[in-house]
Amino acid sequence: MKQLFYFILLIAGFASVHSCKNLVDEEGNPLLDLNNTGGLTGPRALYKEITDKDTLAEYHYSGLLVNTVLMDSASITNIMYSGDKISQIAFNGFLDLDGNGKLDKDSVSFTRLLTYGNTGRLETISENRSIFRRPPPVPPATDPGPQTLLRKTKSLYNVRYSAATAKLDSIIMKTGPDIAGTPFAYDNFSRTAYTYSGDNVSKVIRHYGPMAGGVMGAVTTKYSYEYYAYDNEISPFTLLPLAYKISRLLNTDLNDKESLILSPNNPKRWSFTDLTPPIPNPIVKSTNYVYDPQTYMTKGYGVNYIYKPQ
């Protein structure tokens, strides 16, 4: 069962691919035609991430700033700015919280406030999250009831950078239940550390454990993600702001598998290992990328990337 979980985790974000027809954006502008080798020239923006079954993400912009992301099952992320910096991210919809490769039936709503330091770098993210569930039908009714609040949590993420390289070094998370009438206290933590090969993320290790009285306890779970054989071409995610990409990685406890979005290039292989004893062999996933003439990646791991003129 544990090996099956690893396999599901690896393929959860990457479905099989099929050829795509010519597309236009919401304003009627022509997009990159995946059946045409010409591609776009000049400045561009990332518009869609699609598989043969779903639209994983559709990015909408106000001028040059991405302000809305539409996702599978009518999920939506709204992005607000203070100047040119993201100040707030609000999500409403469905996530794969348990890592089984399917969106949960429970709906999720969260708001994140992003705070920056004197250097202009993102330093903290505070989150308020609510999870809703439809209760089972009460006979003689046959349909589940309306979405009802199941639980609420508060989380705080401290974002740290390497003094030597200024790259993202680690993210420390503290989280706890938000229960009305009960004093709030963090009861769980995680530590995520990033290692690089050049400018590309090569390894991510995340530790999880309990905490009490503001003190972090012994680590109970440890996951490792590694990225290999980077190409020299351009990742689609270079077109998205770093603050949004960091926030995206925090959507679920298992979303670190997407840490390749932090890299300027594209890894041809990546692996996941649960380092909690007994430690199995890592499960490795690989791909052959497709690029356009401007060296932007257009297909990999079963996902097509659609661009639009900027």
Side-chain angles (χ1 to χ4, degrees), residues 88-108:
Q88 182 172 317
I89 294 176
F91 173 86
N92 289 283
F94 301 88
L95 296 169
D96 179 15
L97 297 174
D98 57 11
N100 69 352
K102 299 179 181 179
L103 294 178
D104 291 10
K105 293 183 179 180
D106 295 342
S107 66
V108 178

Side-chain angles (χ1 to χ4, degrees), residues 20-202:
C20 297
K21 61 184 180 181
N22 297 348
L23 296 171
V24 295
D25 67 13
E26 70 277 9
E27 298 173 349
N29 297 316
L31 304 173
L32 173 61
D33 178 3
L34 295 183
N35 297 318
N36 186 324
T37 58
L40 293 175
T41 58
R44 67 176 65 196
L46 181 59
Y47 181 53
K48 285 188 177 182
E49 303 171 42
I50 62 175
T51 70
D52 63 335
K53 295 181 179 180
D54 302 302
T55 296
L56 303 180
E58 178 178 310
Y59 299 92
H60 293 254
Y61 297 81
S62 175
L64 301 179
L65 302 178
V66 59
N67 64 358
T68 306
V69 185
L70 306 179
M71 290 162 285
D72 190 15
S73 298
S75 299
I76 184 170
T77 300
N78 290 307
I79 304 170
M80 286 140 276
Y81 291 81
S82 177
D84 62 352
K85 295 187 182 301
I86 295 175
S87 58
Q88 182 172 317
I89 294 176
F91 173 86
N92 289 283
F94 301 88
L95 296 169
D96 179 15
L97 297 174
D98 57 11
N100 69 352
K102 299 179 181 179
L103 294 178
D104 291 10
K105 293 183 179 180
D106 295 342
S107 66
V108 178
S109 176
F110 64 70
T111 299
R112 292 177 178 149
L113 300 179
L114 287 69
T115 304
Y116 299 80
N118 294 332
T119 62
R121 295 185 302 198
L122 177 64
E123 289 191 351
T124 62
I125 300 175
S126 59
E127 175 191 284
N128 288 284
R129 178 177 297 221
S130 298
I131 297 179
F132 300 86
R133 175 173 294 175
R134 298 184 68 181
V138 178
T142 57
D143 294 328
Q147 293 277 1
T148 303
L149 180 64
L150 179 65
R151 63 181 180 273
K152 298 173 67 176
T153 60
K154 290 183 179 181
S155 301
L156 180 66
Y157 302 88
N158 289 300
V159 184
R160 299 177 179 176
Y161 303 85
S162 166
T165 66
K167 293 183 175 66
L168 176 65
D169 176 76
S170 60
I171 299 175
I172 312 299
M173 179 201 73
K174 298 184 292 184
T175 189
D178 184 12
I179 303 173
T182 302
F184 175 77
Y186 295 116
D187 63 0
N188 280 280
F189 77 93
S190 73
R191 293 195 305 266
T192 308
Y194 298 87
T195 303
Y196 296 82
S197 175
D199 290 331
N200 294 309
V201 173
S202 58

